[in-house]
Amino acid sequence: MIVEQLAIWGPESTTPAPSLAEAQAYCRKLARHHYENFPVVTWLLPRRLRQPFYNVYAYCRWADDLGDEVGDAGRSLELLDWWKQELFACYEGRCRHPVFVALAETIREHRLPREPFEDLISAFVQDQLVHEYETFDQLLDYCRRSANPVGRILLHLMDAVSLETFASSDAICTGLQLTNFWQDIRRDHEMGRVYLPREDREHFGYRDDDLQQRRTTPEFLELMQFQVARAREFLDRGALLAGHLSGRVRLDIELFRHGGLAILRKIEQANYRVWDVRPKLTKWDVIRAFGQAFTGRSRRMR
């Protein structure tokens, strides 16, 4: 766990900065052993992009865990502020933490802007302060900062920056974030967070008492069916991104989109009873997603 790493690399640590090779190895190890539904980097990704992907993932993983895994909102806020100051120092050429030692080279090589990295931190700060969303528009604003920046950073790495690619990437990232919300409803609720907007709960008649008791009612099943369809719309809208990418990069990005669609199917197969079961992908689901990504590429080539 990254929290356990705070004694070595946290704000009070006096551990000397690692070499670039040591920092890169640290990010690779973190990414290979700490992913959720899909590997961060697959053989599909060109070799020249693998280490940059690892470095970006390590940054996101640290920020996410400082917000989610510390167990104390006040302490998380302190650590997230420290992480932001480390980000600022990185852009000024002062790096001590292995993630930033590795990330600094990626930032220089690909001229990555600082804003998307800052946006991610702001979303994790918001998690400590906002525990429920009134409207879907408010939730979309959270996704704009918690998910969309990752896609935009990756587009910079792939030299595929344009208004069109940003729009499609944002749709995929928002769709994946929403999918993760519906996959993790119980876990988030146990952490005191409700991502189901109040306006949607009221529209379908899902009462606050049922929510607090985690009851699976007919109203809840209708609500979840609606949310799954909404997430799928975003992922489908993002399909246009593949047309702006080339080679194996296109396949890798399509893999993540099809992975999100696979999780939504798992929720449907569980009859939307996500209070009772957390839908997870099996090895065969991953293989199927690979096949769908490749088949989609073949159709586009024809």
Side-chain angles (χ1 to χ4, degrees):
M1 297 295 293
I2 282 176
V3 174
E4 297 171 356
Q5 291 281 302
L6 285 171
I8 305 173
W9 298 114
E12 290 83 25
S13 169
T14 59
T15 307
S19 67
L20 176 60
E22 291 170 334
Q24 290 174 337
Y26 179 91
C27 292
R28 284 196 302 272
K29 181 178 179 181
L30 181 63
R32 288 171 175 171
H33 294 85
H34 200 323
Y35 59 82
E36 184 72 11
N37 295 304
F38 279 93
V40 177
V41 170
T42 72
W43 58 269
L44 295 171
L45 196 66
R47 187 174 297 276
R48 63 181 176 82
L49 292 178
R50 293 178 188 177
Q51 187 64 52
F53 268 55
Y54 288 137
N55 299 342
V56 170
Y57 176 85
Y59 170 87
C60 299
R61 184 75 271 156
W62 260 84
D64 195 4
D65 280 6
L66 291 177
D68 277 358
E69 303 297 337
V70 174
D72 177 85
R75 179 58 174 161
S76 284
L77 289 172
E78 293 175 1
L79 290 170
L80 287 168
D81 183 66
W82 160 72
W83 196 243
K84 182 170 68 173
Q85 298 310 314
E86 291 290 296
L87 173 67
F88 292 168
C90 176
Y91 271 86
E92 294 169 0
R94 297 179 287 108
C95 304
R96 181 191 64 85
H97 193 285
V99 169
F100 288 107
V101 172
L103 187 63
E105 182 184 53
T106 301
I107 289 171
R108 288 192 298 270
E109 181 179 351
H110 297 274
R111 300 186 298 278
L112 300 181
R114 193 177 72 181
E115 182 181 8
F117 292 103
E118 287 186 74
D119 284 344
L120 286 166
I121 295 176
S122 76
F124 301 138
V125 168
Q126 182 168 312
D127 273 333
Q128 314 310 311
L129 304 173
V130 178
H131 304 119
E132 184 176 334
Y133 291 84
E134 294 293 321
T135 68
F136 184 64
D137 284 343
Q138 291 175 349
L139 190 63
L140 283 182
D141 178 69
Y142 175 82
C143 294
R144 180 184 63 80
R145 290 173 290 113
S146 69
N148 297 3
V150 178
R152 294 189 172 214
I153 292 170
L154 298 185
L155 288 176
H156 278 280
L157 295 181
M158 295 181 286
D159 295 321
V161 174
S162 70
L163 293 177
E164 292 81 4
T165 57
F166 276 173
S168 296
S169 173
D170 288 351
I172 291 175
C173 291
T174 292
L176 290 173
Q177 179 72 91
L178 293 174
T179 298
N180 183 249
F181 287 154
W182 314 148
Q183 179 186 29
D184 278 337
I185 278 189
R186 184 181 184 93
R187 173 181 178 274
D188 289 331
H189 192 264
E190 290 171 349
M191 297 176 65
R193 299 174 189 167
V194 178
Y195 293 106
L196 284 167
R198 176 172 292 278
E199 67 178 4
D200 295 338
R201 303 198 315 264
E202 291 179 349
H203 176 78
F204 285 95
Y206 191 56
R207 302 178 304 172
D208 286 348
D209 182 62
D210 291 328
L211 174 70
Q212 294 308 315
Q213 299 300 320
R214 303 171 189 161
R215 295 192 184 106
T216 301
T217 66
E219 294 79 11
F220 177 76
L221 298 179
E222 286 187 57
L223 171 61
M224 290 309 305
Q225 185 175 8
F226 172 77
Q227 300 295 1
V228 165
R230 175 184 265 171
R232 181 177 284 112
E233 287 177 6
F234 279 94
L235 292 172
D236 288 343
R237 193 186 310 165
L240 293 174
L241 180 60
H244 296 280
L245 305 175
S246 60
R248 291 188 296 174
V249 167
R250 173 189 294 174
L251 284 172
D252 204 59
I253 298 303
E254 274 288 88
L255 172 62
F256 279 91
R257 191 176 72 86
H258 281 288
L261 292 170
I263 295 171
L264 294 178
R265 285 194 298 272
K266 284 290 184 179
I267 295 174
E268 291 171 333
Q269 291 167 6
N271 295 318
Y272 307 100
R273 305 182 72 87
V274 288
W275 285 129
D276 307 317
V277 60
R278 182 182 185 272
K280 295 175 63 175
L281 298 185
T282 67
K283 175 180 64 177
W284 298 112
D285 294 320
V286 175
I287 292 173
R288 181 184 180 189
F290 267 98
Q292 289 171 327
F294 186 81
T295 302
R297 175 179 182 271
S298 299
R299 284 199 300 268
R300 284 186 293 272
M301 289 176 65
R302 287 196 294 271

